[in-house]
Amino acid sequence: MTRHTMTIDGKQVEAGSSTAVINPATEGEAGRAPACSAAQLDAAVAAAKNAFKSWRLDEEARRQALRNAAELVQARVAEIANTLTLEQGKPLAHATGEVMGAAAQLKATAEMKIPYEVTRDDAKGKIEIIYKPYGVVAAITPWNFPILIAMSKIAPALLAGNTVVIKPSPFTPLSTLELVTAMSQALPPGVLNAVSGDNALGAQLTTHPDVRKISFTGSVPTGMKVAEVAAHDLKRTTLELGGNDPAIVLDDVDPVAIAPMLFWSSFMNSGQICTAVKRVYVPEGLFEPLVNAIAAVASQIKVGDGLDPTTQLGPINNAMQLERVIALVEDAKKRGARIHSGGSRLDRKGYFFAPTILSGVGDDVPIVAEEQFGPVLPILSYKSIDDAIERANATQYGLGASIWAKDLARAHSVAQEIDAGTVWINQHLALTANAPFGGCKHSGIGEAGGRWGLASYLQKHVINQRFV
Ligand code: NAD
């Protein structure tokens, strides 16, 4: 088993103690992660602060370093993807896609333009808007897409001229440690540091006085804690938080035709996606055919160890999350839910839960009202489109949503009524560098992706000259 190390000031560092990372497919150890001490965290932030002095100065050198780092990640895709599957559970093909996607994002980010604007330039004066980095960025990531989310922070933060200390989730730290080890060979010491530890380490990082910006992805309750501590020091924050995405099906669709896409929009990564479809609203007339069509897809899915190439869905990532999904489904059953496929944990070692389609519950039942973050999809019927829109919006979440229809004009007008950062039409989960990705209401503050994501790591600096 590879010995995993943190990256602090360009060096590979162990800690006085380490913690086990559990493989959710076997419940055995996937590896051990160093438990970063308070002194090591201080050293990481100090290294980042020191490296910032020169890293911020030479944009062309940064671009070249990021290109080189992308090559190093590309060379280690297989190794990092294998670790990702071992600790996260997702099928190896998906893990490989995730690491390749991260390398591609790094490569593309290296070529992005840093904005510079001149809003006045005449005989009397000139106004320039220069975009400058913040300094040390704390990047804190969850366990569902550890590598993609890490890169969505690291790449734009570094191009912008910031330096970074990243703290991955204690459930999936190993692949991030490997990613940073690979990248750091192309970067000056201190520019990119990785520390591993529990939630308390995240809290220490967010309260560190030398951190100027926090880029956090995780749950709403933790996001609120981060916002609270950031406020004491007016640290800038980007918060990418939870979701409970509705899909609204209009009455002109062919249920059998949309069922596979709707299924995967909900169950990809075993439903552990902030912006997966988490509740489907269907007109009464299409209800039975759609439920049957999605249940038919669900019952054919091969659930298993991500290292088995025939596996389509892996386990739930951790025991706590599995217990939560079990409790929500059992609660729904007690309240009269009809189970159309799945409905329980698989009778084998590992945190496996059968892909579950259920109906017969109201919007107030926790499996519908809360973010359940697992392989379960409640399907609900509606009488009128206004009723569906109102119910879709009746939550504090506002990350994504989708409308499924043949009549695109109608779908577009419904899309405009939905409170969400992104509304897809006849698709879901499609993220692109051509659009910002963020949430409204409790789903977050700020955006990732493309030039908007880059802008979140830059602050505006105005030079306003009067010619004398
Ligand atoms: P979490 O909030 O439990 O943990 C996220 C990270 O925060 C972990 O690294 C954790 O160690 C750290 N942390 C915990 N307490 C902290 C504190 N007090 N201060 C600083 N850091 C702390 O979330 P999770 O269970 O790892 O991830 C699942 C959640 O993430 C879901 O709610 C999901 O919707 C959300 N998510 C959102 C997006 C998005 O882009 N909006 C993407 C992926 C996941």
Side-chain angles (χ1 to χ4, degrees):
M1 204 176 277
T2 322
R3 214 179 166 90
H4 286 87
T5 47
M6 304 186 288
T7 301
I8 297 176
D9 204 11
K11 298 181 201 67
Q12 295 307 305
V13 180
E14 302 205 13
S17 62
S18 64
T19 49
V21 177
I22 302 301
N23 177 341
T26 63
E27 300 181 45
E29 253 185 43
R32 297 194 71 83
C36 183
S37 69
Q40 286 176 315
L41 180 70
D42 281 344
V45 176
K49 187 181 178 188
N50 190 42
F52 177 65
K53 291 179 205 153
S54 51
W55 179 250
R56 65 179 302 181
L57 298 177
D58 188 344
E59 185 180 320
E60 208 31 61
R62 293 202 296 275
R63 290 186 192 288
Q64 193 50 48
L66 294 189
R67 289 181 198 118
N68 296 344
E71 300 279 323
L72 292 168
V73 176
Q74 257 157 0
R76 290 178 68 175
V77 167
E79 190 185 324
I80 300 171
N82 191 64
T83 301
L84 180 55
T85 290
L86 288 178
E87 67 179 356
Q88 205 284 333
K90 63 184 67 188
L92 185 58
H94 298 180
T96 305
E98 181 170 343
V99 185
M100 283 168 60
Q105 192 190 357
L106 182 54
K107 215 169 152 185
T109 304
E111 311 309 327
M112 283 177 74
K113 194 171 173 304
I114 295 180
Y116 165 75
E117 295 167 75
V118 177
T119 56
R120 176 184 178 179
D121 192 3
D122 56 34
K124 293 189 175 150
K126 181 172 180 181
I127 300 175
E128 292 165 282
I129 302 158
I130 298 165
Y131 287 77
K132 286 190 165 180
Y134 286 97
V136 179
V137 170
I140 298 180
T141 52
W143 47 259
N144 60 340
F145 284 89
I147 296 296
L148 261 187
I149 295 174
M151 193 56 85
S152 75
K153 299 179 187 311
I154 292 171
L158 293 187
L159 177 70
N162 303 281
T163 54
V164 173
V165 179
I166 185 164
K167 190 212 84 70
S169 163
F171 294 111
T172 54
L174 305 176
S175 51
T176 304
L177 294 178
E178 289 180 15
L179 175 82
V180 172
T181 299
M183 287 181 68
S184 66
Q185 290 162 32
L187 302 169
V191 163
L192 175 61
N193 307 272
V195 293
S196 50
D198 57 12
N199 295 346
L201 183 70
Q204 280 170 42
L205 182 57
T206 54
T207 49
H208 198 292
D210 288 331
V211 166
R212 292 317 316 149
K213 156 111 198 177
I214 303 166
S215 179
F216 172 84
T217 303
S219 63
V220 171
T222 314
M224 286 179 172
K225 285 186 201 162
V226 170
E228 200 177 326
V229 299
H232 293 295
D233 191 25
L234 295 179
K235 291 184 190 353
R236 281 20 178 200
T237 54
T238 297
L239 303 174
E240 293 168 21
L241 309 179
N244 189 6
D245 289 11
I248 299 180
V249 175
L250 301 193
D251 58 10
D252 62 352
V253 301
D254 172 352
V256 174
I258 66 164
M261 232 177 138
L262 207 42
F263 173 84
W264 283 111
S265 301
S266 177
F267 287 83
M268 186 62 83
N269 211 36
S270 299
Q272 302 163 117
I273 305 186
C274 51
T275 182
V277 172
K278 286 292 167 215
R279 43 199 176 114
V280 182
Y281 292 92
V282 191
E284 281 175 339
L286 285 183
F287 186 73
E288 285 299 328
L290 189 74
V291 167
N292 292 338
I294 297 190
V297 178
S299 59
Q300 299 298 315
I301 296 298
K302 167 106 194 290
V303 178
D305 189 324
L307 291 181
D308 175 345
T310 64
T311 289
Q312 291 172 285
L313 288 181
I316 289 177
N317 172 257
N318 58 75
M320 204 169 73
Q321 183 60 23
L322 173 68
E323 289 308 323
R324 176 166 164 75
V325 171
I326 291 172
L328 286 168
V329 171
E330 289 306 315
D331 168 76
K333 284 183 193 168
K334 277 196 209 111
R335 295 170 192 249
R338 287 165 62 201
I339 304 292
H340 303 277
S341 75
S344 54
R345 181 178 184 173
L346 298 192
D347 186 17
R348 56 177 281 187
K349 204 139 184 78
Y351 306 142
F352 297 101
F353 196 89
T356 297
I357 307 296
L358 63 84
S359 69
V361 287
D363 292 2
D364 55 338
V365 169
I367 194 81
V368 180
E370 296 177 14
E371 182 186 38
Q372 44 100 357
F373 220 56
V376 182
L377 184 62
I379 305 188
L380 306 117
S381 69
Y382 70 81
K383 285 191 193 316
S384 71
I385 190 62
D386 290 341
D387 164 45
I389 293 169
E390 190 178 325
R391 289 161 64 195
N393 285 338
T395 155
Q396 280 304 330
Y397 292 106
L399 194 56
S402 54
I403 316 297
W404 300 74
K406 283 200 180 124
D407 180 341
L408 296 180
R410 231 174 112 216
H412 195 271
S413 82
V414 175
Q416 291 185 65
E417 299 298 316
I418 304 296
D419 302 333
T422 302
V423 183
W424 288 281
I425 294 177
N426 292 324
Q427 58 179 348
H428 206 107
L429 297 178
L431 295 181
T432 161
N434 293 327
F437 175 65
C440 61
K441 298 194 274 188
H442 283 183
S443 286
I445 296 177
E447 297 107 14
R451 62 186 161 87
W452 303 271
L454 177 60
S456 73
Y457 295 99
L458 291 161
Q459 52 190 329
K460 295 172 198 74
H461 179 75
V462 176
I463 298 186
N464 187 342
Q465 301 182 60
R466 185 171 70 88
F467 296 149
V468 285

